[in-house]
Amino acid sequence: MSSKYDSITDAITPTCATIKRTPSRASVSSTYSTRKRRRVSVASLHLGQDLARPLVPETPIEEINGDRFVTVRTSTSFPLNITPRTNRIAKAFGLLDDRVLSPTNSPSLYSDRCFRSLLRRSASELFSTSRAASLLSAKANLGARNHFVLALDGPGMSTDLFASPMAWSHANCIGVAFKYDVYFQDLESRAVVHLCRSSLSDGTVHSIDWGGKAKPYLLALGTTFGDVRVMDAEKGMQLVDWVDDGHGMGGMHWNGDVLAVGRAGGNVTLFDIRMRAEIANIMGHKRRVHGVKWSVDGHHLATGDDSGIVHIWDHRASNLLTNGDKNIRMKHKGPVKALSWSPWQHGLLASGGGSPDGAIHIWNTGKMAPSSGPVHTIPLQTTITSLHWSLHCKELLSTHGSSWAVPQINVHPAAHASAVGVENSLAVHSYPSCRQIVNVKAHSAPVGHSCMAPDGCSVFTVSPKEETIKMFRVWSAPDDKDKNEGSDMTFKSTIR
């Protein structure tokens, strides 16, 4: 009897063990989500009636799949890309990769690579989003108009690209030198006045410059033979005449009552209108001084000569800051006429070189040290005739003459393309990126000189070969003051 029941018990035990065993939490969580529930109901056992038949569950196992991922791709599942439209959407969101999860297979390297590519593309789009151009910037003004707003005929101007035959006063008067004569026009009344005429013995007028804000009607002019004359344009009379013994004329610039004049012999002469006499003679250059520019605060004077050397003179110490060490000299490979001090950063100076240099150097004169170079260089391979920092934003304007052939073995082809692009043009560069943001073809011939308006918004350019003077609206003031000024000046007139 015992043997009979022992055999029955042995037959039941494996079956019952199989039914009552509950899967562990670890085995369930590896395949299904924690939100899944597995409910198993087992038929009640009656030893007397059901020993002969096999035991099976009365209710099948019910599985609730609450996960949002497909665990295993089945052969009957529909593809993710049903239509061309969904195909494009899936491709845009990176869903065409192998992204179906599998409990056994690890993520493929291709999937990881595509996911990283998607992240890089998203990040690059985020960082490459261009900001809207500021209303003060040249991009929103000159770049939007891309044309001059005023044109004047200028026959008989000096064809010397190192001459400075035009200046803009704080009284909104534009002065222009034509050979021996000097004219000025009031841009508000449009009245043209003949101011003076130099004699044949003095030579033609090489450079002119208006006085500062305190004396806007004071006009200085220098002839090719070195004669310097100061005129009162409001009264139409000569105030003083400084005669130089045989030295030619370079550039000139006012600093209050003091006038700095560059000479052909390499020296720079300082005149004081109050004393009506020469007060200083700066010796540092060995060639003709083309560029002369006072800093905004009037403490430093920058000068550039025909050999490409730029010197900084301290007005308070009466000493050259760049003459003690040869390595500290600021040097170009071509003549330097274009100089401009930044009005919003102390000691920041931009200088431009002519042929064969064709580059803009930006110097931090407040941190000059032996063998220190420019903080930025903009190679353009085109003659740079003038430079102007904006008063309202961090941008630099440059005017250009002709370009020259660039050996492709030393220069990248993109540099040659940019050189041709700025020929005879007016270009604006952002700072400190030094990226060119605007480039407008100003004239059909080289731009010899330019001057900026006192409000810092407009620029006049001169092309002696084209015999034309043009005004361009480049920037806007912060409060948009005089925004429409010059909008009606699209006619062509003559200054003579």
Side-chain angles (χ1 to χ4, degrees):
M1 187 65 169
S2 60
S3 61
K4 179 181 179 180
Y5 283 102
D6 291 339
S7 60
I8 294 175
T9 304
D10 295 338
I12 294 174
T13 300
T15 307
C16 294
T18 303
I19 294 175
K20 292 182 179 181
R21 186 172 64 247
T22 303
S24 64
R25 185 176 297 272
S27 62
V28 173
S29 60
S30 63
T31 309
Y32 305 102
S33 172
T34 56
R35 293 176 295 174
K36 299 176 185 177
R37 297 291 183 268
R38 173 176 298 200
R39 296 191 296 273
V40 180
S41 61
V42 183
S44 59
L45 297 178
H46 192 279
L47 296 178
Q49 298 178 2
D50 300 328
L51 291 179
R53 61 181 179 182
L55 299 178
V56 295
E58 195 175 56
T59 303
I61 297 176
E62 181 182 355
E63 296 181 359
I64 300 176
N65 189 357
D67 204 331
R68 59 192 178 96
F69 293 104
V70 180
T71 57
V72 179
R73 188 191 300 270
T74 61
S75 59
T76 59
S77 63
F78 292 98
L80 293 178
N81 312 317
I82 299 176
T83 65
R85 181 174 180 272
T86 56
N87 188 13
R88 291 194 300 270
I89 296 175
K91 185 176 181 180
F93 285 91
L95 298 179
L96 292 181
D97 305 329
D98 183 17
R99 300 195 181 279
V100 179
L101 299 182
S102 174
T104 56
N105 299 330
S106 60
S108 64
L109 296 178
Y110 175 76
S111 177
D112 291 342
R113 187 165 57 252
C114 293
F115 183 67
R116 288 194 298 269
S117 177
L118 177 64
L119 290 178
R120 285 194 296 268
R121 185 169 65 251
S122 301
S124 63
E125 292 176 357
L126 177 64
F127 288 109
S128 64
T129 302
S130 59
R131 297 182 298 175
S134 171
L135 296 178
L136 310 180
S137 172
K139 189 174 183 179
N141 294 273
L142 179 63
R145 184 178 291 108
N146 204 30
H147 200 266
F148 61 87
V149 296
L150 175 64
L152 303 171
D153 289 336
M157 287 184 296
S158 174
T159 57
D160 187 0
L161 294 181
F162 296 107
S164 303
M166 183 178 59
W168 202 335
S169 74
H170 283 269
N172 202 23
C173 294
I174 183 74
V176 184
F178 299 99
K179 292 185 178 180
Y180 298 95
D181 299 287
V182 177
Y183 295 83
F184 76 91
Q185 181 181 24
D186 191 328
L187 296 179
E188 296 179 1
S189 65
R190 311 292 172 84
V192 179
V193 179
H194 178 263
L195 185 59
C196 64
R197 178 181 176 87
S198 65
S199 62
L200 295 177
S201 60
D202 294 333
T204 60
V205 180
H206 182 82
S207 300
I208 65 172
D209 190 47
W210 289 98
K213 185 181 296 185
K215 299 179 180 179
Y217 291 100
L218 211 64
L219 179 69
L221 61 96
T223 64
T224 54
F225 292 162
D227 184 36
V228 178
R229 188 180 306 176
V230 179
M231 303 292 298
D232 188 335
E234 188 176 24
K235 298 178 180 180
M237 57 180 295
Q238 178 178 308
L239 298 181
V240 66
D241 187 8
W242 293 299
V243 179
D244 188 74
D245 50 354
H247 290 86
M249 179 63 59
M252 60 169 53
H253 193 214
W254 282 99
N255 179 23
D257 296 310
V258 178
L259 176 67
V261 178
R263 297 296 189 180
N267 59 314
V268 179
T269 308
L270 300 184
F271 298 98
D272 195 323
I273 188 61
R274 297 165 298 183
M275 303 174 61
R276 302 195 176 187
E278 178 183 325
I279 60 173
N281 191 21
I282 305 172
M283 305 295 295
H285 297 279
K286 297 180 179 179
R287 304 283 294 275
R288 179 190 292 266
V289 179
H290 298 299
V292 178
K293 189 69 64 174
W294 287 98
S295 61
V296 179
D297 56 11
H299 294 164
H300 297 90
L301 176 67
T303 56
D305 64 12
D306 195 63
S307 61
I309 295 177
V310 178
H311 279 310
I312 306 296
W313 186 73
D314 192 335
H315 186 30
R316 296 165 295 180
S318 299
N319 185 30
L320 279 173
L321 302 180
T322 52
N323 201 28
D325 193 332
K326 292 183 178 181
N327 294 327
I328 205 174
R329 287 186 176 182
M330 302 156 68
K331 175 74 174 174
H332 282 264
K333 297 179 181 179
V336 175
K337 172 196 171 187
L339 296 169
S340 180
W341 290 92
S342 169
W344 33 262
Q345 181 173 334
H346 177 73
L348 193 66
L349 174 68
S351 60
S355 175
D357 183 75
I360 300 174
H361 290 335
I362 301 176
W363 315 84
N364 188 352
T365 61
K367 297 182 179 179
M368 295 297 293
S371 68
S372 63
V375 293
H376 298 285
T377 298
I378 307 176
L380 297 171
Q381 304 298 328
T382 307
T383 301
I384 300 164
T385 56
S386 63
L387 293 169
H388 302 283
W389 287 104
S390 171
L391 302 181
H392 312 300
C393 55
K394 293 186 176 182
E395 294 178 357
L396 176 66
L397 179 144
S398 59
T399 60
H400 303 274
S402 58
S403 62
W404 52 88
V406 182
Q408 297 298 316
I409 189 173
N410 298 324
V411 180
H412 194 272
H416 185 265
S418 63
V420 177
V422 298
E423 185 178 15
N424 307 334
S425 69
L426 185 152
V428 181
H429 318 268
S430 63
Y431 185 83
S433 67
C434 298
R435 180 176 55 90
Q436 186 180 127
I437 57 177
V438 176
N439 181 20
V440 175
K441 204 75 172 180
H443 297 271
S444 60
V447 181
H449 186 65
S450 70
C451 57
M452 189 169 66
D455 62 357
C457 295
S458 302
V459 170
F460 261 112
T461 60
V462 175
S463 178
K465 290 185 179 180
E466 192 183 70
E467 295 186 341
T468 306
I469 304 171
K470 295 180 180 179
M471 187 181 79
F472 295 87
R473 182 81 174 189
V474 183
W475 297 289
S476 289
D479 56 353
D480 257 356
K481 184 179 179 181
D482 301 330
K483 182 177 181 180
N484 296 322
E485 179 184 353
S487 59
D488 59 337
M489 296 186 292
T490 55
F491 63 94
K492 187 174 182 180
S493 62
T494 177
I495 200 171
R496 295 183 62 183

